Amino acid sequence: MKWVIAELIKIFVCEDDPKQLEQIVSYVKNYLLIENLDMELVLATEDPHEVLKYLEKNKVDRALYLLDINLNADINGIELADKLKERDFNGKFVFVTSHSEMVFLTFKYKLEALDYILKDDSKGLQKRVIEVINACNDLFNRSGVDNEVYYQVKTGNHVRSIRVRDILFFESSVVPHKVIVHLLDGQFEFYSTVKELEFENDAFFRCHKSYVVNVNNIKSIDRHTREITMVNGEKIISSVLACRKLVKMVQE
Amino acid sequence: MVSILICQSICFLVDIRVILNDFKYKKADWFILFVLFPALLLLYQYAQSLAIVGYQVMFLLYILLITRDIKVSIVIEAISFTLNTIADHFADILTRNFNSNTFYILFFILINCLFVLVMYFLLKRMRSIGPSKKLLVSNLETIVSLISITIITLMIIMTEIIKDNPFDNVVYNVIIMFLIAIMLLAASYYKMMRLKRTFIIRSKDQRIKNDNRYIYEMEKHYAELRKFRHDYQNILLSMDEYIETDDFEGLKKYYNTSIKPISSQLNHQKYGLEDLSRVGNKELKSILFNKLYSAQMSGIEVSFECKKLITDFYVDSLDLVIALGIILDNAIEETKQQTDGFIQAGIFSDDSEITIIVQNSIRDNEVPVWKMRVKGFSTKGNNRGVGLSNLSEIIDRNHALTLETMKKNRIFLQKITIEMGDSRID
């Protein structure tokens, strides 16, 4: 039998200014040396295509990418990240950017970046590099022991994972084939039907023609009015038959 | 005869609900059961003419109970009554030879259903082109409706009931009623069209105004850039001087006193709205610029991101503009109350969808998202939160649109996703 040792987390740095590249690399190297983390710096380059080439030739399991936005090449850091994401879905991205190139929403919602580092603030640069290395390390090590249950929603080409314990209930929209999922901190719509959702998780229960409720997030049930109150105070209605079943389920 | 009366009343009820486009149970429905039916039966025992007048007064009361608006009620009453009477006359003419109530009821329901269907689709079309979903009724329309009701009622009483329903009169009357109905329809269609036109003209005016302001801002921006270029050249020249003379100390001092402040100044003067040039849809660009710029002017930190040129937004621009307007207005209203509020907006696209995100900082409050979306909710008192429920309506009438609302870590986020591909069918 062979022992499987978790591979080191690979760090990539891509920055077109040699001076700044050198600076970042030295911060990374020094920190790794001191802290002895399960990480290694595998590539530091001025050319974005080298990063892509590396990924073509080698299998990358867990990686942290520190990317500059303006790369002085045919692609910029955002496009590079887009391409890298296709090959390395789990990769964590951190953008090194000047204030004027800052695109906050793109980082957060389109690229799902881990963080960004403002390079205008040259004094805080080292501190920030260390912070993102730690954050990335925590994230990868935590995901190993994460036994949180997720429900995956497909929207367009994207798959979105939501924690089951954040889900309150699903509601069918007035428009056919659209479902609204109500979460602890908000709600969003996607294309599906409540009929299909019922069987996606044991905690989901079809309590009404147009509702599937997460049994674990019910605060109370009024048996006379058949009103279900969720943990956040939101109320939905239940059918007669389902209400009886639900009361039993919750009591167990 | 009682069955006919009840059948007519129920059809009348259906007509009213279709026109109101509201099929939910209402407390006012008890009125029909406990007041309207008994009263009608009683009046009918007394005299048919009285029953007809009573029939209308009762239903007018019923509509009034639902809408709480006398003008709207009169117009709806007129439309339903005209339809109802025409259906009644047609059914009467067609089944007179059989002399059977069952046949009459059958035909009456059939004809009424036909009218209701036509009505339903016509209204649906009107609602979809109309800028506002509320029924707006002018005084003139109310008067015309009142006159039509009176004429039709008098016609029925004078030429039918008093003369014991001669066949010829029934035929004449249905023709006259038909003409009245067509006249009313034509008038309301014309009004609808005119409303639509004024709405389009008004939004075009607004757009031109916004475009002009956009151009003006661009020019101002450009002038500042030119000035900056000038300063930049000067800086380079003076640096050249320090280097030529190997005055490193002087250069250091010059950098710290003259160049560094400019750099930090540049960061603060981030314009934030340059990416608007990549929004290829004029209406959308206009609303985004209009709202975000006014937010910027009132001291809110604003940014807008769009890295790819997007020209086709796949859904009705007008709907998208209204939806965005509501979202941005809410964001501005909230951030205005804060000392260092910010609004971040962005549009992203890939092969399958376009995403429009607006997020803003919020003050500390414990109100959950679902409460904010309830009609009429607002942290600022009554009747100001109509926006969010209007927003849901717009999203619901476009199959390709989905909406996300999140509130997390003192940030409020609204995201509209446009699914590409299957949208133009609506």
Side-chain angles (χ1 to χ4, degrees):
Chain A
M1 201 171 122
K2 217 167 112 183
W3 288 102
V4 182
I5 300 166
E7 241 182 277
L8 296 177
I9 299 168
K10 294 188 164 101
I11 300 180
F12 298 83
V13 184
C14 188
E15 159 71 68
D16 70 316
D17 184 319
K19 191 94 189 148
Q20 275 170 5
L21 180 65
E22 194 188 312
Q23 209 174 18
I24 294 169
V25 165
S26 75
Y27 293 151
V28 172
K29 272 188 176 157
N30 284 337
Y31 190 64
L32 292 186
L33 214 65
I34 301 166
E35 288 294 319
N36 195 22
L37 298 168
D38 288 335
M39 293 176 135
E40 58 174 342
L41 178 72
V42 290
L43 189 67
T45 175
E46 293 166 33
D47 179 10
H49 293 286
E50 261 186 63
V51 187
L52 287 169
K53 240 184 261 164
Y54 184 94
L55 256 75
E56 260 165 44
K57 284 183 192 141
N58 303 281
K59 204 181 151 292
V60 174
D61 203 20
R62 308 188 297 170
L64 169 65
Y65 303 89
L66 295 166
L67 308 175
D68 184 20
I69 299 284
N70 199 345
L71 287 172
N72 212 358
D74 56 333
I75 59 170
N76 62 32
I78 292 169
E79 288 161 324
L80 175 62
D82 240 354
K83 285 194 170 137
L84 290 172
K85 262 183 98 101
E86 285 169 22
R87 298 208 173 90
D88 178 12
F89 186 71
N90 285 323
K92 304 289 176 239
F93 294 89
V94 171
F95 292 94
V96 185
T97 171
S98 67
H99 194 285
S100 57
E101 292 165 345
M102 185 54 202
V103 277
F104 184 81
L105 292 177
T106 310
F107 292 161
K108 187 158 180 203
Y109 297 106
K110 183 141 193 344
L111 302 168
E112 284 152 353
L114 178 65
D115 208 340
Y116 58 90
I117 296 176
L118 287 177
K119 62 177 159 192
D120 317 55
D121 176 23
S122 53
K123 281 196 195 98
L125 196 59
Q126 182 168 19
K127 194 173 141 251
R128 295 287 291 133
V129 169
I130 290 170
E131 272 172 13
V132 298
I133 289 177
N134 280 333
C136 173
N137 191 37
D138 285 352
L139 215 59
F140 275 123
N141 288 331
R142 191 158 18 111
S143 68
V145 289
D146 187 10
N147 42 24
E148 192 68 58
V149 188
Y150 287 90
Y151 174 64
Q152 291 189 326
V153 179
K154 244 194 215 132
T155 56
N157 285 347
H158 309 273
V159 177
R160 179 169 171 167
S161 292
I162 20 177
R163 283 194 299 210
V164 169
R165 70 180 161 111
D166 286 347
I167 298 173
L168 299 171
F169 61 90
F170 300 92
E171 177 190 3
S172 64
S173 164
V174 287
V175 186
H177 308 297
K178 253 200 233 175
V179 171
I180 306 166
V181 54
H182 293 244
L183 308 170
L184 281 173
D185 47 18
Q187 59 185 71
F188 69 88
E189 298 170 310
F190 61 101
Y191 295 98
S192 182
T193 58
V194 283
K195 221 166 151 186
E196 291 165 36
L197 290 166
E198 191 183 350
F199 307 104
E200 296 282 350
N201 190 293
D202 287 341
F204 296 169
F205 179 73
R206 178 97 175 265
C207 65
H208 186 266
K209 187 166 91 269
S210 38
Y211 294 112
V212 167
V213 68
N214 181 355
V215 179
N216 298 329
N217 279 333
I218 293 177
K219 190 168 146 206
S220 64
I221 303 170
D222 186 325
R223 264 197 255 193
H224 300 292
T225 57
R226 285 182 276 116
E227 230 173 24
I228 303 173
T229 310
M230 306 307 299
V231 284
N232 71 340
E234 200 165 0
K235 285 186 171 108
I236 56 172
I237 199 91
S238 162
S239 69
V240 183
L241 213 67
C243 186
R244 234 175 283 155
K245 262 198 211 166
L246 202 55
V247 170
K248 247 189 230 161
M249 275 171 90
V250 174
Q251 275 167 354
E252 270 165 20
Chain B
M1 270 325 254
V2 174
S3 56
I4 290 178
L5 209 62
I6 289 176
C7 158
Q8 285 181 342
S9 305
I10 290 171
C11 284
F12 204 118
L13 190 70
V14 173
D15 292 351
I16 291 169
R17 286 312 190 90
V18 166
I19 295 169
L20 285 172
N21 199 24
D22 178 359
F23 306 102
K24 284 190 207 110
Y25 152 79
K26 291 263 162 50
K27 283 216 178 82
D29 292 341
W30 293 105
F31 175 81
I32 300 260
L33 203 60
F34 289 121
V35 182
L36 194 137
F37 280 148
L40 273 186
L41 292 177
L42 210 74
L43 283 173
Y44 192 75
Q45 301 296 329
Y46 204 66
Q48 208 187 345
S49 334
L50 258 181
I52 286 185
V53 177
Y55 185 70
Q56 288 179 49
V57 174
M58 294 286 180
F59 269 110
L60 189 63
L61 271 175
Y62 171 70
I63 307 170
L64 201 59
L65 277 177
I66 294 182
T67 60
R68 316 236 160 216
D69 182 339
I70 182 77
K71 285 199 238 163
V72 172
S73 305
I74 290 176
V75 172
I76 293 176
E77 162 87 17
I79 299 170
S80 319
F81 180 62
T82 315
L83 284 182
N84 210 263
T85 330
I86 292 174
D88 161 73
H89 280 57
F90 267 128
D92 188 17
I93 292 166
L94 288 169
T95 59
R96 190 157 281 218
N97 291 334
F98 302 112
N99 216 352
S100 142
N101 276 350
T102 329
F103 265 123
Y104 167 83
I105 289 175
L106 215 72
F107 269 91
F108 177 74
I109 292 177
L110 221 84
I111 296 166
N112 202 69
C113 283
L114 196 80
F115 282 163
V116 161
L117 269 178
V118 172
M119 218 32 215
Y120 179 76
F121 285 110
L122 220 69
L123 281 171
K124 202 172 164 189
R125 223 188 94 94
M126 280 188 177
R127 285 199 178 95
S128 67
I129 57 170
S132 132
K133 278 192 72 188
K134 252 180 87 187
L135 291 161
L136 287 173
V137 173
S138 66
N139 285 339
L140 185 68
E141 282 165 308
T142 318
I143 293 168
V144 169
S145 301
L146 259 178
I147 293 174
S148 339
I149 297 176
T150 322
I151 291 177
I152 293 172
T153 316
L154 285 176
M155 254 167 32
I156 292 170
I157 296 173
M158 297 300 182
T159 63
E160 291 173 17
I161 296 170
I162 292 178
K163 305 218 157 127
D164 209 20
N165 281 356
F167 185 73
D168 286 351
N169 285 1
V170 174
V171 175
Y172 297 147
N173 281 350
V174 82
I175 292 169
I176 295 172
M177 278 185 259
F178 217 72
L179 288 176
I180 292 178
I182 287 172
M183 206 175 70
L184 290 178
L185 261 178
S188 58
Y189 186 74
Y190 174 73
K191 186 197 164 192
M192 209 62 217
M193 281 304 167
R194 216 182 41 200
L195 262 180
K196 192 188 167 191
R197 220 165 354 179
T198 42
F199 183 74
I200 289 173
I201 289 171
R202 210 183 304 149
S203 55
K204 261 200 187 126
D205 271 357
Q206 187 63 36
R207 217 182 69 201
I208 291 168
K209 228 159 77 194
N210 285 339
D211 283 353
N212 285 339
R213 217 164 57 167
Y214 185 67
I215 291 167
Y216 172 74
E217 282 307 313
M218 282 293 140
E219 280 170 354
K220 211 168 85 185
H221 190 161
Y222 188 72
E224 271 173 59
L225 269 179
R226 207 160 37 197
K227 181 173 157 286
F228 176 71
R229 211 183 93 186
H230 178 77
D231 291 349
Y232 186 71
Q233 262 169 346
N234 280 343
I235 288 170
L236 284 182
L237 274 176
S238 41
M239 271 172 80
D240 205 40
E241 185 59 34
Y242 282 112
I243 288 166
E244 287 278 300
T245 55
D246 270 338
D247 182 4
F248 198 68
E249 272 308 305
L251 180 63
K252 212 168 172 182
K253 204 171 140 205
Y254 178 67
Y255 174 79
N256 279 328
T257 53
S258 307
I259 301 180
K260 228 172 175 184
I262 291 178
S263 160
S264 70
Q265 206 183 359
L266 274 177
N267 284 341
H268 279 290
Q269 278 181 348
K270 211 183 139 198
Y271 290 96
L273 301 179
E274 288 125 341
D275 282 4
L276 276 176
S277 62
R278 296 202 190 89
V279 179
N281 178 303
K282 278 219 177 73
E283 286 95 347
L284 227 55
K285 193 206 293 258
S286 163
I287 186 94
L288 280 163
F289 176 72
N290 186 15
K291 299 286 179 196
L292 292 177
Y293 184 68
S294 76
Q296 207 172 36
M297 287 298 106
S298 56
I300 300 164
E301 194 189 316
V302 172
S303 74
F304 178 77
E305 299 164 22
C306 179
K307 291 294 157 205
K308 244 193 253 170
L309 178 71
I310 304 173
T311 46
D312 191 353
F313 282 84
Y314 293 86
V315 284
D316 183 36
S317 309
L318 203 58
D319 273 354
L320 215 49
V321 163
I322 298 171
L324 256 176
I326 293 169
I327 291 176
L328 289 167
D329 278 342
N330 284 337
I332 292 169
E333 194 171 313
E334 171 58 36
T335 39
K336 256 188 189 165
Q337 326 273 331
Q338 305 164 18
T339 41
D340 46 2
F342 62 83
I343 299 175
Q344 294 167 324
I347 305 183
F348 316 109
S349 69
D350 59 29
D351 319 326
S352 65
E353 58 189 36
I354 299 172
T355 316
I356 306 175
I357 294 182
V358 176
Q359 68 173 33
N360 62 276
S361 52
I362 44 175
R363 289 162 295 167
D364 250 337
N365 69 49
E366 289 298 312
V367 184
V369 168
W370 66 271
K371 259 190 196 160
M372 296 191 201
R373 294 183 55 143
V374 174
K375 210 176 201 141
F377 172 82
S378 163
T379 47
K380 295 189 66 192
N382 281 336
N383 281 329
R384 306 201 51 168
V386 192
L388 282 185
S389 60
N390 276 353
L391 180 61
S392 316
E393 268 169 33
I394 293 168
I395 300 293
D396 286 344
R397 68 167 175 248
N398 289 284
H399 187 74
L401 296 183
T402 49
L403 177 69
E404 171 174 342
T405 312
M406 286 287 178
K407 188 186 155 198
K408 215 182 205 169
N409 306 333
R410 299 192 61 182
I411 283 179
F412 186 68
L413 171 133
Q414 298 246 279
K415 184 158 107 182
I416 295 179
T417 308
I418 306 165
E419 196 83 4
M420 294 176 181
D422 70 323
S423 55
R424 295 231 168 116
I425 311 156
D426 295 312

